[in-house]
Amino acid sequence: MPAFPLEHALAAAAALWLTLAIDRWLGEPAARWHPVVWMGQYLGWIGSRIAPPVAKAKPRDLSLFLIGVLTWCVGAMCVGVVAAGVQAAMVQWLPAWALAMALALALKPLFAWRMLHDEVLAVEAALGISLDAGRAQLARLVSRDVCALSEREVRESAIESLAENLNDSLVAPLFWFVLLGLPGAAVYRFANTADAMWGYRGERNGRDWTWLGKWAARADDALSWLPARLTVVLLAVAAWQWPTGLGGEARRTPSPNSGWPMATMALLLGVRLAKPGVYALNAEGRQATALDTQRTALLGGRAVLAMAVCATAVIVSSARWA
């Protein structure tokens, strides 16, 4: 990463901690002010007009793939340019203390830890009421069909969701912020949102996303590759234990990235985590309990703090001290 004047590096480090404090105290901004919501609106508008109905989908559609590449690149470029302009203006015109505050406010919408933490614990609380309530709460977190899931499967899905999204919603955006500043975090969030909305093989909501979303899925895979493995290290630090046999377990999932934090969590907890008909992580592990959901949230919180400490050290060490 490039070297910055010391005062700017200290402001960026302070902004990181202020951002975590804002997330803890205030959570997410209103949807009308949320840049990730704006990204989703752009992607939703494009996708609803271009992704073909299932009946009209082609087994190979190069033109649709190229449209997907073009619209992704246009969106990512716009997001990156706007974020770079905002950051440059703040650096140019604000003193260090104000820069830290403004940068924190700009960075906060690009990651979400409190919301993820609270939503996962809400699934466990809902399971305490009824299975149907647990399923309904889980549906807020995952895209899979929850109607036929058992209590065990609902709990496993919630634990998996926290482990996977710890990377997608926090570690990866902060990783790219440390490397490339506000534009890095913003472009990553665009890529991750595009993958969440377009990155499906086959049918979803009556449309076929295979070719329109292929580039979005691969771009997210590339940008998440290092952060996903960093998440493993952070969780291991949080538990003060290395997950033995991680490599073999992580490769059981179709995704090149999500299996790493999910398998780490399964091994650290000693539980089995599975997606019916797709994979089983730590298949010989015990059945997850409500206490495991609580411990998952605790490990995630410790990993967040470890990420903040590491990020601060990298930012400050990259400063020009002269």
Side-chain angles (χ1 to χ4, degrees):
M1 63 180 294
F4 296 102
L6 178 59
E7 63 175 355
H8 291 165
L10 293 176
L16 178 63
W17 289 95
L18 283 171
T19 304
L20 291 172
I22 293 170
D23 180 66
R24 180 179 177 85
W25 295 335
L26 301 177
E28 296 303 299
R32 65 180 179 276
W33 304 113
H34 207 307
V36 178
V37 173
W38 302 340
M39 296 174 197
Q41 290 171 343
Y42 165 80
L43 292 162
W45 185 84
I46 296 289
S48 65
R49 285 159 176 77
I50 299 177
V54 174
K56 296 182 179 180
K58 300 176 183 178
R60 185 177 180 84
D61 197 330
L62 181 59
S63 62
L64 191 59
F65 170 75
L66 293 175
I67 290 171
V69 174
L70 177 63
T71 53
W72 187 97
C73 289
V74 168
M77 182 179 66
C78 291
V79 166
V81 167
V82 169
V86 168
Q87 179 174 276
M90 290 189 294
V91 170
Q92 178 71 26
W93 298 107
L94 297 178
W97 66 268
L99 173 61
M101 296 179 65
L103 193 56
L105 291 173
L107 178 61
K108 167 59 203 87
L110 302 178
F111 80 89
W113 164 243
R114 173 182 161 178
M115 182 176 69
L116 174 61
H117 174 276
D118 291 353
E119 289 287 338
V120 168
L121 291 182
V123 172
E124 190 59 55
L127 278 176
I129 299 171
S130 70
L131 176 56
D132 285 340
R135 289 169 175 166
Q137 189 66 38
L138 179 66
R140 294 162 53 94
L141 274 173
V142 301
S143 58
R144 71 183 69 170
D145 183 6
V146 302
C147 295
L149 296 183
S150 66
E151 178 178 335
R152 173 182 60 80
E153 290 167 339
V154 169
R155 181 171 290 117
E156 288 178 2
S157 297
I159 293 173
E160 288 176 351
S161 184
L162 189 143
E164 178 180 4
N165 287 293
L166 177 63
N167 174 62
D168 295 348
S169 296
L170 185 122
V171 174
L174 294 187
F175 173 87
W176 289 108
F177 171 73
V178 170
L179 285 185
L180 300 174
L182 195 61
V187 171
Y188 175 79
R189 287 303 287 164
F190 176 83
N192 187 247
T193 303
D195 178 53
M197 297 184 69
W198 288 7
Y200 295 90
R201 294 179 180 177
E203 185 271 340
R204 183 173 182 258
N205 296 332
R207 295 182 178 273
D208 188 288
W209 298 89
T210 302
W211 287 96
L212 179 65
K214 192 176 288 292
W215 173 265
R218 297 296 175 265
D220 180 69
D221 286 345
L223 293 175
S224 297
W225 197 91
L226 277 174
R229 287 144 182 85
L230 174 59
T231 304
V232 170
V233 176
L234 295 171
L235 286 171
V237 169
W240 209 243
Q241 173 188 346
W242 183 256
T244 305
L246 173 63
E249 294 297 328
R251 295 184 182 93
R252 296 184 188 278
T253 64
S255 167
N257 297 319
S258 63
W260 291 87
M262 291 194 301
T264 298
M265 192 65 78
L267 292 167
L268 292 177
L269 296 175
V271 302
R272 178 183 185 273
L273 299 178
K275 183 175 182 179
V278 181
Y279 59 78
L281 303 175
N282 194 26
E284 302 303 317
R286 59 180 174 78
Q287 180 174 317
T289 67
L291 288 177
D292 292 308
T293 307
Q294 298 290 336
R295 191 177 176 213
T296 297
L298 178 63
L299 288 175
R302 290 176 180 173
V304 171
L305 289 177
M307 177 65 187
V309 171
C310 293
T312 300
V314 173
I315 291 170
V316 173
S317 66
S318 71
R320 294 198 301 265
W321 291 80

